[in-house]
Structures are given as C-alpha cells and as structure tokens.
Amino acid sequence: MFRWVLLTPLGAPVILTSGLQVPGIALEQAPALDALFVVAGFELEEQCAPVLRSHIRRVAGRVANICGVDGGPWILARAGLLDQHRATTHWEDLEKFTQSFPEVDVTRDRFVIDGRVMTTGGAGPALDLMLHLIQTRHGVTLAMRAAGALIYDPDPSGARPQSVTSTSRLMARAPKVAQAIQLMETHLEDPLPISVIAQRLGLTQRNLEHRFKAVVGTSPGAYFLDLRLSEARRLALDTALPASEIALVTGFTSPASFARAFKKAHGLSVSDARRHEAAAF
C-alpha cells in the first residue's frame, strides 16, 4: 500500500552515527512522489547546505505533502517551508528552534499536521504519525495490526506533549474491546462465536458490537475474520504448511471456504501468494 524511495543529498550513501551506510539516489534526481519525508539527526546546521535546501524546495514544490522527522523540521524550516505553519521538532531542540524560526508556530506536540506540512518530534512520534497515516488512508484495523506487529502503543492524536509519559492503552480506554480482542487472538484455531465472547465479558452481543464499532470502526465479527485471515497469510508466507493445515489452525473447518475467504481477502490463493513472494526475492 506504500512504496518508499530512499534519497540522499548528493546520491552518495548517508553514513549514520552508528556507522551504518544508507544508500539512495540523489535528491535532485527524485522521481515523481506523493510526499517527501526529510529525516535528520545531529549537526543540523552543518548538514543544511544551500544546495540541499534548494533541492528540497524544488522537490517539495511538486509533492502533495512534506514532512520533517526528528531534526528534519530544522532542515525544512531553513528551506523556508515551515513559515506560517504549526510545527514541532525534537524536544531537545524546541527552544533553539523557536528562537531561530519566529515565522513558525512551534508546539511541543509529538507530531503536527498543518495542511500539507507534517512534523514529528522523534522516533516514537514518527511511528505515531505513520500509524495515523495508515489509519486515515486504510482504516483503524490495519493501523492496529501494524502497531501490534511493532508491539507499540500509539498516541493517535499526536497532541500529547513530548515530555509526558506514554498514552493510555486500549485496555484503559476500552477494556471490554481489548479483552474481546485478546479472546480472539487466543482462539484463532477454535473461533468463539461473538455471542460467547460477549457473554464472557458480561455484555450483550449488541453492546459489544456497539463498543467495537465506536473504537475499532468495524464489527467484532469482521475484525475476528480479518485477524484469522491475516494470520493465515503470515503462515502462508513464513511457513511451508499446506493450505489445508493453515485452514485448520486459523479456524476454518472447510478447505473450500478457507480458500474462498483467503482469496477474497488477499486477492491470491495460498499457492499464488507464495509464488508471488518468492518472485519478489
């Protein structure tokens, strides 16, 4: 759903402070893009050469969105791209950033979206922003799955100040929904009916469905099916289990119904998905 192109200032690999090298194509040779994300860390003034600012302005002029990550907002501000916008940066640089760029409305938020301009305060807030973008484009269920894969509890609003501890977890915001999801995750092989899940939580099925819709944006039944089919795809791509066994461990008693559901969800059969994955490498 998302494709990334790595760009570097002049086309040479970027050497990180850890010593790792990140290859990329020259910024001035950037292909057509929907968005430009500028990532920076230390020695921001030394990095922000006039030629780099010029290239960034040129690319930014032809994309729908621009984003600065961690020290990236400093680079965007030096290029004049944050003037008259709300923005944030890493908390260590907030005071200096505010003094250096009076035309920018600086906040302490974890991430800020102001029109086409996005900024984040560091690595964690960058994850918050990415999950927010996934949710706004492809729904809360996919965003929750991505957060779960990272074992990460996101701040969905980005408005919490950087200096405050982590946001309340789903268990605190919607404990019954969180408990329902836990029951689903532990019963992939023998799926519980939604009515049974609701009964175990002391709720009516209608009440559970209402809570699920309010928090997740879909019904518990649809969420549970999506959870099982996501696990089926993982097993298809990460193991050599036959399709019939994948069907059983994800709660499908009929291989035919599993095959139909898998293809409807992922657009390919198990065997075709495996061939497609193998061809990509």
Side-chain angles (χ1 to χ4, degrees):
M1 295 177 177
F2 299 90
R3 294 198 316 147
W4 295 87
V5 176
L6 294 178
L7 309 168
T8 67
L10 300 175
V14 170
I15 302 176
L16 307 184
T17 51
S18 63
L20 293 174
Q21 294 190 13
V22 179
I25 64 176
L27 179 58
E28 64 176 346
Q29 299 174 358
L33 302 170
D34 297 312
L36 175 68
F37 289 76
V38 179
V39 184
F42 304 102
E43 301 176 346
L44 299 173
E45 280 296 338
E46 290 81 354
Q47 294 184 53
C48 198
V51 64
L52 175 61
R53 299 199 299 267
S54 176
H55 290 332
I56 287 177
R57 281 193 294 267
R58 187 155 46 249
V59 175
R62 60 177 190 257
V63 299
N65 296 102
I66 56 174
C67 178
V69 175
D70 199 335
W74 187 283
I75 309 295
L76 293 180
R78 272 284 176 249
L81 295 170
L82 299 187
D83 289 355
Q84 314 308 320
H85 285 282
R86 291 180 63 250
T88 190
T89 191
H90 194 282
W91 63 266
E92 292 179 330
D93 299 319
L94 273 171
E95 183 175 352
K96 184 178 179 182
F97 189 83
T98 302
Q99 295 171 351
S100 300
F101 306 109
E103 298 299 317
V104 180
D105 181 10
V106 182
T107 80
R108 297 185 65 89
D109 294 359
R110 291 171 63 83
F111 69 84
V112 174
I113 300 176
D114 186 6
R116 78 184 194 105
V117 176
M118 302 177 285
T119 50
T120 83
L127 287 176
D128 290 333
L129 175 61
M130 295 301 106
L131 291 167
H132 173 81
L133 295 178
I134 291 171
Q135 178 174 327
T136 57
R137 287 158 174 75
H138 299 290
V140 67
T141 298
L142 182 60
M144 288 178 63
R145 289 216 319 262
L150 298 171
I151 318 179
Y152 183 72
D153 181 36
D155 181 330
S157 71
R160 179 163 53 84
Q162 293 182 42
S163 57
V164 181
T165 55
S166 64
T167 186
S168 300
R169 297 181 180 274
L170 181 61
M171 185 62 79
R173 289 193 298 112
K176 295 297 185 181
V177 173
Q179 291 166 14
I181 291 173
Q182 289 174 348
L183 282 171
M184 293 175 185
E185 290 175 343
T186 55
H187 288 82
L188 293 179
E189 189 169 351
D190 55 335
L192 297 173
I194 302 303
S195 59
V196 173
I197 294 175
Q199 184 179 28
R200 290 194 182 186
L201 298 177
L203 302 172
T204 65
Q205 182 172 337
R206 183 178 180 84
N207 188 279
L208 178 61
E209 289 173 346
H210 177 74
R211 293 178 187 225
F212 235 88
K213 186 70 175 179
V215 174
V216 183
T218 189
S219 69
Y223 184 91
F224 201 0
L225 178 60
D226 185 68
L227 196 67
R228 291 160 58 204
L229 289 168
S230 294
E231 176 62 3
R233 183 178 186 276
R234 185 192 69 79
L235 292 171
L237 300 183
D238 294 350
T239 76
L241 290 174
S244 58
E245 193 165 341
I246 294 174
L248 289 176
V249 299
T250 52
F252 291 88
T253 55
S254 164
S257 64
F258 167 71
R260 287 193 299 271
F262 188 97
K263 189 166 186 179
K264 181 179 180 180
H266 304 302
L268 297 168
S269 66
V270 170
S271 57
D272 286 342
R274 283 171 165 166
R275 280 194 291 269
H276 185 269
E277 185 77 357
F281 292 95

